[in-house]
């Protein structure tokens, strides 16, 4: 397998305008695994070393296991390919995952599968005065995943399911352009569905994905980033429900902060199968 990569600049700056992270999730039955490789956090903060944030949710046990793994040399290249200390390797044939840290062992191979996603422009926003820009690229909208997961010496869980991977980067911080964003990725045998909703400071709405209708009411709800949650929930089937997995607050300075939330999408009923993930992020900026 041939991996093409170039080194990402990971010099640690106290505060930097550039931001970059890669996201991957793997869904198999009642298990959802999310892996985020952070060169920066959501606000572009580089005070910490680059790291992998790993979260494993078991819907049968209603338990979430999280690990944070420091990464010395994250790299990327054409089409958002990445390499991270041998733990993540993006090749011509797909993505290889090989994690082992603090009682967590994850081995998985992910290959591209048929998707209805149509890749468009990666730019989320461009500052015409400075040329700065922010980007979102869906590297793998629908992937096939096989592997195994073991946590704290418990029984080995075989993984056979679906995956999604994307990449965010730029030198125009998202909080300068947007009040909030929301995102959904459903990964199932029947197909995939990916959509992002971006709420501008002036109230304008930008939707990236196959759906373009029925979003005008997004501004009528309250609770900050939950403004973009309601329209995302309207994309779900009646049999699907969501469960909150994570809430985290980021602060870059006394005047700039963000609140991030992640939900898991579950098929209601006896099966309890995981079918996708949703995220929202609310930015708070004060003069």
């Amino acid at each position: 397998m041939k991996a093409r990569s170039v080194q990402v600049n990971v010099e640690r700056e106290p505060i930097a305008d550039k931001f970059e992270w890669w996201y991957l999730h793997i869904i198999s039955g009642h298990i959802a695994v999310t892996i985020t490789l952070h060169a920066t956090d959501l606000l572009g903060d580089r005070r910490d070393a680059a790291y992998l944030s790993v979260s494993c949710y078991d819907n049968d046990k209603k338990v979430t296991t999280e690990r944070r793994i420091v990464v010395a040399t994250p790299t990327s290249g054409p089409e958002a390919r990445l390499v991270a200390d041998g733990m993540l390797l993006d090749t011509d044939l797909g993505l290889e995952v090989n994690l082992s840290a603090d009682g967590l062992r994850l081995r998985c191979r992910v290959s591209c599968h048929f998707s209805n996603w149509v890749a468009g422009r990666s730019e989320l926003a461009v500052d015409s005065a400075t040329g700065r820009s922010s980007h979102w690229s869906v590297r793998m909208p629908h992937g096939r995943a096989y592997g195994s997961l073991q946590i704290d010496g418990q029984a080995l869980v075989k993984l056979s399911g679906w995956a999604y991977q994307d990449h965010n980067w730029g030198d125009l911080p998202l909080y300068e352009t947007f009040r909030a964003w929301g995102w959904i990725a459903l990964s199932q045998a029947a197909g995939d569905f990916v959509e992002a909703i971006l709420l501008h400071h002036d109230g304008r709405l930008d939707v990236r994905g196959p759906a373009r209708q029925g979003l005008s009411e997004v501004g009528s709800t309250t609770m900050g980033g939950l403004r973009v949650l309601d329209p995302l929930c309207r994309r779900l089937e009646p049999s699907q429900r969501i469960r909150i997995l994570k809430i985290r607050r980021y602060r870059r300075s006394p005047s700039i902060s963000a609140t991030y939330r992640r939900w898991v999408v579950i098929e209601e009923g006896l099966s309890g199968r995981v079918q996708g993930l949703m995220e929202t992020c609310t930015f708070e900026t004060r003069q």
Side-chain angles (χ1 to χ4, degrees), residues 20-27 32-38 52-53 55 80 82 88 95 136-140 163-168 181 183-185 187 245 260 262-264 276-279:
E20 188 167 28
W21 62 85
W22 297 259
Y23 171 89
L24 167 70
H25 74 225
I26 298 167
I27 291 171
V33 179
T34 62
I35 303 171
T36 307
L37 173 57
H38 288 276
L52 286 171
S53 174
S55 175
L82 64 99
L88 296 175
L95 186 66
W136 171 56
S137 174
V138 179
R139 162 79 171 95
M140 187 183 298
Y164 166 92
Q165 183 199 353
D166 67 17
H167 180 208
N168 290 264
W181 56 257
W183 162 93
I184 182 172
S187 306
L245 289 185
Y260 166 86
R262 179 188 297 156
W263 286 265
V264 63
L277 280 297
M278 294 169 51
E279 297 177 335

Side-chain angles (χ1 to χ4, degrees), residues 50-64:
Y51 65 95
L52 286 171
S53 174
V54 184
S55 175
C56 304
Y57 174 70
D58 186 329
N59 192 50
D60 279 355
K61 300 177 181 178
K62 304 297 188 292
V63 171
T64 301

Side-chain angles (χ1 to χ4, degrees), residues 14 29 40 50 55 61 63 67 76 92 100 105 134 162-163 166 172 184 186 203 240 248 262 275 280 287:
T40 71
S55 175
K61 300 177 181 178
V63 171
R67 296 290 188 271
S76 72
D92 290 334
S100 182
R105 295 175 59 85
S134 56
W162 306 95
D166 67 17
L172 176 62
I184 182 172
L186 301 178
Q240 293 174 324
R248 181 171 178 180
R262 179 188 297 156
Q275 298 192 323
T280 65
Q287 298 297 327

Side-chain angles (χ1 to χ4, degrees), residues 36-272:
T36 307
L37 173 57
H38 288 276
T40 71
D41 70 12
L42 298 181
L43 296 175
D45 197 332
R46 294 173 180 259
R47 284 178 290 189
D48 296 329
Y51 65 95
L52 286 171
S53 174
V54 184
S55 175
C56 304
Y57 174 70
D58 186 329
N59 192 50
D60 279 355
K61 300 177 181 178
K62 304 297 188 292
V63 171
T64 301
T65 301
E66 296 189 340
R67 296 290 188 271
R68 179 175 171 136
I69 306 170
V70 174
V71 177
T73 55
T75 60
S76 72
E79 301 178 357
R81 298 194 171 207
L82 64 99
V83 179
D85 290 0
M87 293 181 284
L88 296 175
L89 179 63
D90 199 346
T91 75
D92 290 334
L93 298 181
L95 186 66
E96 294 185 5
V97 181
N98 187 0
L99 301 181
S100 182
D102 298 330
L104 184 146
R105 295 175 59 85
L106 174 63
R107 307 284 187 272
C108 195
R109 289 190 176 186
V110 181
S111 58
C112 289
H113 197 71
F114 173 79
S115 171
N116 292 318
W117 174 262
V118 177
R121 69 189 192 280
S122 69
E123 292 88 356
L124 296 177
V126 178
D127 185 332
S128 58
T130 64
R132 295 181 303 153
S133 59
S134 56
H135 299 260
W136 171 56
S137 174
V138 179
R139 162 79 171 95
M140 187 183 298
H142 199 207
R144 197 73 171 97
Y146 297 97
S148 62
L149 171 67
Q150 187 176 38
I151 300 174
D152 296 333
Q154 300 176 27
L156 191 73
V157 177
K158 294 293 185 182
L159 302 177
S160 177
W162 306 95
Y164 166 92
Q165 183 199 353
D166 67 17
H167 180 208
N168 290 264
W169 77 97
D171 55 4
L172 176 62
L174 295 175
Y175 60 80
E176 288 192 21
T177 307
F178 306 110
R179 292 165 56 190
W181 56 257
W183 162 93
I184 182 172
L186 301 178
S187 306
Q188 306 169 60
D192 64 299
F193 179 85
V194 180
E195 183 174 87
I197 298 175
L198 303 157
L199 186 62
H200 291 254
H201 284 293
D202 61 8
R204 289 182 297 113
L205 197 67
D206 186 8
V207 181
R208 302 293 177 89
R212 294 290 186 273
Q213 305 300 320
L215 295 176
S216 60
E217 63 273 25
V218 69
S220 65
T221 59
T222 56
M223 298 297 290
L226 300 186
R227 292 171 182 254
V228 294
L229 177 61
D230 285 349
L232 290 176
C233 287
R234 296 189 185 104
R235 304 308 183 210
L236 302 178
E237 299 294 332
S239 62
Q240 293 174 324
R241 295 292 182 267
I242 62 173
R243 177 187 296 272
I244 189 72
L245 289 185
K246 184 175 184 177
I247 302 176
R248 181 171 178 180
R249 187 169 178 83
Y250 297 86
R251 178 177 294 274
R252 174 166 174 169
S253 70
S255 60
I256 301 172
S257 62
T259 301
Y260 166 86
R261 296 176 175 89
R262 179 188 297 156
W263 286 265
V264 63
V265 180
I266 300 167
E267 183 180 53
E268 192 176 45
L270 295 177
S271 75

